Amino acid sequence: MAQWHDGKVVNRKDWNDHLFSLQFKCAEFPKFKAGQFTKVGLTQADNTVLSRPYSLVNSPNAEYLEIIAVPVEDGSLSPKLHELQIGDEVKIMSPATGFLVLDEVPHSQTLFLVATGTGVGPFISILEGEDVWTKYTNVVLVYGARQKTDLAYSDKIQHWLSHKSKQFHFVPIVSREVNPDTLKGRIPELIEKGEIQHKCGLEFDPLICQVMLCGNPDMIKDTLGVLESFGLKKHLRRSPGQISLERYW
């Protein structure tokens, strides 16, 4: 049964003036699976909790919980979260939920993790674990944002590039500027043109790959359409396929 727990901010990271991560201590929070999300909220004057769903970025084995967020203009909660400092209190709901987890993904040779914006959160959690590295020969993180400064967790990504160099591939994408070390454009069009495949040296082959999608709803919808034109189909428990996705905003 869902219940609220008391949490406290123990660390924060500001990637730029609008993209931030918060770490919480919450001793009562039960074990979860990498890729799941929960609700984070603040207690209001009337003792109700104003909350929104956020993916957990941390490994399930970490001693803290972590989310990544942006303060949505005119949003009721995210601007308030953006103002939180170390020591501030929050509410965190358990249990975590969601099916964007490796347990739900059929076995394959290659796993594509395709994200935009804060949708990278569940994939960072998955990459922090051991299962993804033992289950797949190739792991590709395709990560899109508006500008290069919006690409978070570069330290972790560089670690995997260094320590999993034969297995891990990273395709950074920006849509609003040109950089020599990133692709420019929207993920669906870059897949359709073959630019992402060329960058990582791997194909969206329905016989040997699985794809997990998380991020902007338009990206998910359009990427799903492109991948279906390649012969991939949405994965359902009653009808196994190659594309897993999570929509929670």
Side-chain angles (χ1 to χ4, degrees):
M1 184 175 68
Q3 60 180 314
W4 287 109
H5 300 287
D6 294 322
K8 182 173 291 188
V9 179
V10 294
N11 197 12
R12 67 171 291 146
K13 170 72 174 181
D14 291 281
W15 304 101
N16 52 37
D17 63 355
H18 58 273
L19 182 66
F20 66 102
S21 295
L22 295 174
Q23 291 181 354
F24 313 115
K25 267 288 188 182
C26 185
E28 298 178 325
F29 197 84
K31 195 77 169 180
F32 70 97
K33 295 180 180 180
Q36 291 188 313
F37 64 91
T38 189
K39 287 186 176 182
V40 175
L42 297 173
T43 303
Q44 304 300 286
D46 61 358
N47 285 325
T48 61
V49 178
L50 175 64
S51 67
R52 295 289 183 273
Y54 289 94
S55 288
L56 293 169
V57 180
N58 56 289
S59 162
N61 297 321
E63 296 181 353
Y64 57 85
L65 302 175
E66 182 170 350
I67 64 169
I68 183 171
V70 293
V72 178
E73 187 176 356
D74 298 326
S76 57
L77 177 64
S78 57
K80 296 178 181 179
L81 294 180
H82 191 222
E83 296 175 356
L84 293 180
Q85 299 298 323
I86 293 174
D88 288 340
E89 296 181 350
V90 296
K91 288 290 188 178
I92 304 171
M93 180 176 283
S94 73
T97 188
F99 297 100
L100 200 68
V101 297
L102 292 184
D103 288 354
E104 298 290 332
V105 179
H107 179 73
S108 69
Q109 180 177 320
T110 298
L111 176 67
F112 286 93
L113 304 171
V114 181
T116 53
T118 57
V120 75
F123 299 148
I124 297 297
S125 181
I126 287 171
L127 291 166
E128 289 272 35
E130 291 299 324
D131 289 350
V132 68
W133 306 112
T134 58
K135 191 173 181 180
Y136 301 96
T137 303
N138 304 299
V139 180
V140 185
L141 175 62
V142 179
Y143 181 12
R146 293 181 177 182
Q147 298 177 317
K148 187 177 179 180
T149 56
D150 291 323
L151 297 172
Y153 297 103
S154 59
D155 54 339
K156 293 182 182 293
I157 292 169
Q158 287 301 318
H159 173 82
W160 295 317
L161 285 171
S162 297
H163 291 78
K164 305 286 187 181
S165 58
K166 295 182 179 179
Q167 190 175 9
F168 181 63
H169 307 266
F170 177 49
V171 184
I173 298 166
V174 295
S175 61
R176 297 195 177 182
E177 63 183 15
V178 176
N179 287 287
D181 52 351
T182 66
L183 297 180
K184 182 178 186 298
R186 294 186 68 244
I187 287 173
E189 285 80 5
L190 292 172
I191 293 176
E192 195 168 30
K193 294 175 182 177
E195 293 188 36
I196 290 175
Q197 299 90 309
H198 177 74
K199 181 75 172 179
C200 66
L202 297 162
E203 298 293 329
F204 290 93
D205 183 341
L207 296 178
I208 58 171
C209 86
Q210 287 287 320
V211 183
M212 301 177 77
L213 302 175
C214 190
N216 181 280
D218 288 335
M219 181 278 289
I220 292 177
K221 176 177 67 69
D222 295 343
T223 301
L224 183 62
V226 173
L227 293 176
E228 287 176 339
S229 73
F230 287 4
L232 286 75
K233 65 179 183 178
K234 187 176 177 181
H235 174 64
L236 302 171
R237 288 185 175 181
R238 63 180 181 275
S239 178
Q242 298 83 22
I243 307 168
S244 302
L245 55 90
E246 189 80 78
R247 292 191 180 100
Y248 57 85
W249 73 78

